[in-house]
């Protein structure tokens, strides 16, 4: 959702991030840069790798604590965003009254989301999480394809081009090489995004732990390549659909929609 919002606001200039980052990711996926050697080290976490590299268990514990705290904070964002989404999407009242206490409805819905996740974990353990996540992935990919095909049947590329060119700030919406103060998704944003792509190859804990579970280094490389192909389908949807929405919202020919 955040990527779609950015792609809608930033226009085609935001696409340069996907082109640059996608190219870098494809090269890494084929070559196995970083992924292959990390699996060969046979470490389970980056913290363990730091201990081996610098011969310091204290450093491993320190980095592990930082990783734990940042993970808790990061994971805490998702339920509250999900709860707020359901409140606004379903048109629920913003506040609810319980035993004389006024509680934001978002907190109540978020509590339900977290409770459902906990039930999954406690009843079926990690296996239930893996299986349900896999099923969810299949459903989402099918939905991605349906939404993409449906969107393209309604909005063609010529509509998107006409919508962006007709805007007074067309140059900023089309190219990241415009003035930095007028275009938030300028060339510096694109370059920083590519650096983050490189950084995340090894340092993003969830992805790193998935690949470290491979039987060997070659399988880890293939896992990364397959994941890149899966993400590539999502990227196409995340960037095309916001552009199509922009055309629908800015061309008179779509006023009925």
């Amino acid at each position: 959702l955040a990527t779609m919002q950015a792609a809608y606001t930033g226009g085609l200039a935001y696409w340069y991030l996907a082109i640059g980052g996608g190219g870098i990711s494809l090269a890494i996926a084929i070559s196995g840069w970083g992924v292959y050697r990390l699996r060969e080290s046979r470490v389970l976490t980056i913290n363990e790798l730091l201990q081996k590299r610098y011969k310091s268990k204290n450093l491993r514990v320190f980095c592990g604590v930082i990783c734990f705290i940042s993970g808790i904070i990061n994971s805490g964002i998702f339920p509250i965003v999900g709860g707020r989404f359901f409140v606004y999407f379903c048109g629920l009242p913003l506040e609810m009254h319980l035993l004389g206490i006024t509680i934001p409805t978002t907190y109540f819905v978020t509590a339900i989301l977290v409770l459902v996740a906990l039930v999954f974990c406690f009843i079926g353990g990690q296996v239930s999480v893996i299986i349900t996540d896999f099923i969810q992935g299949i459903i989402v990919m099918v939905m991605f394809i349906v939404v993409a095909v449906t969107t393209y049947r309604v909005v063609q590329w010529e509509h998107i081009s006409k919508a962006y060119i007709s805007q007074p700030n067309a140059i900023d919406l089309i190219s990241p090489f415009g003035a930095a103060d007028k275009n938030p998704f300028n060339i510096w944003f694109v370059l920083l995004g590519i650096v983050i792509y490189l950084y995340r190859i090894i340092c993003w804990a969830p992805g790193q732990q998935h690949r470290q579970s491979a039987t060997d280094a070659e399988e880890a490389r293939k896992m990364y390549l397959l994941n890149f192909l899966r993400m590539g389908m999502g990227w196409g949807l995340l960037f095309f659909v916001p552009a199509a929405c922009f055309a629908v919202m800015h061309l008179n020919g779509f006023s009925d929609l």
Side-chain angles (χ1 to χ4, degrees):
L1 289 176
T3 301
M4 283 186 165
Q5 178 75 24
Y8 181 89
T9 304
L12 303 183
Y14 191 82
W15 289 32
Y16 281 75
L17 175 61
I19 297 171
I24 292 292
S25 297
L26 178 59
I28 292 173
I30 295 175
S31 66
W33 179 83
V35 174
Y36 196 96
R37 289 191 63 186
L38 182 61
R39 180 62 188 86
E40 280 188 323
S41 69
R42 302 187 66 82
V43 299
L44 297 179
T45 66
I46 294 298
N47 306 317
E48 183 182 356
L49 180 68
L50 292 173
Q51 179 183 1
K52 286 188 174 183
R53 172 65 178 81
Y54 296 104
K55 305 296 188 295
S56 173
K57 185 176 181 179
N58 291 335
L59 177 62
R60 176 180 180 175
V61 173
F62 174 74
C63 294
V65 170
I66 291 179
C67 186
F68 171 77
I69 295 175
S70 61
I72 290 295
I73 296 174
N74 176 65
S75 298
I77 295 175
F78 293 101
I80 197 73
V81 171
R84 183 169 297 178
F85 165 78
F86 282 113
V87 168
Y88 283 95
F89 186 78
C90 298
L92 302 177
L94 298 182
E95 295 180 343
M96 57 183 301
H97 303 282
L98 182 64
L99 301 176
I101 303 175
T102 301
I103 303 175
T105 309
T106 298
Y107 294 171
F108 181 75
V109 176
T110 301
I112 295 177
L113 296 178
V114 174
L115 181 62
V116 170
L118 288 175
V119 170
F120 268 102
C121 293
F122 281 112
I123 293 180
Q126 184 72 4
V127 174
S128 68
V129 176
I130 293 174
I131 293 176
T132 53
D133 195 38
F134 173 73
I135 295 174
Q136 174 192 336
I138 294 177
I139 296 174
V140 168
M141 291 309 297
V142 172
M143 291 173 61
F144 274 6
I145 296 173
V146 171
V147 170
V149 172
T150 303
T151 303
Y152 191 75
R153 288 176 64 88
V154 175
V155 182
Q156 276 74 50
W157 182 253
E158 54 265 27
H159 299 136
I160 296 175
S161 300
K162 183 178 179 181
Y164 281 113
I165 293 175
S166 63
Q167 299 305 306
N169 61 333
I171 187 62
D172 295 324
L173 292 172
I174 295 174
S175 172
F177 298 99
D181 58 335
K182 295 182 179 180
N183 185 5
F185 303 110
N186 51 51
I187 188 60
W188 296 111
F189 171 84
V190 174
L191 293 176
L192 178 60
I194 293 175
V195 170
I196 293 175
Y197 273 113
L198 289 170
Y199 181 81
R200 286 181 57 184
I201 299 301
I202 296 177
C203 294
W204 188 52
Q208 172 262 325
Q209 289 175 339
H210 291 163
R211 293 186 287 274
Q212 290 306 91
S213 67
T215 55
D216 52 41
E218 180 60 23
E219 184 180 274
R221 185 189 68 83
K222 291 178 180 178
M223 285 173 62
Y224 186 84
L225 178 59
L226 289 173
N227 184 64
F228 169 81
L229 297 176
R230 180 185 69 86
M231 293 296 294
M233 293 181 63
W235 284 344
L237 180 69
L238 289 175
F239 287 88
F240 177 76
V241 170
C245 291
F246 188 90
V248 170
M249 298 298 291
H250 291 83
L251 291 182
N252 294 329
F254 293 104
S255 56
D256 292 342
L257 293 178

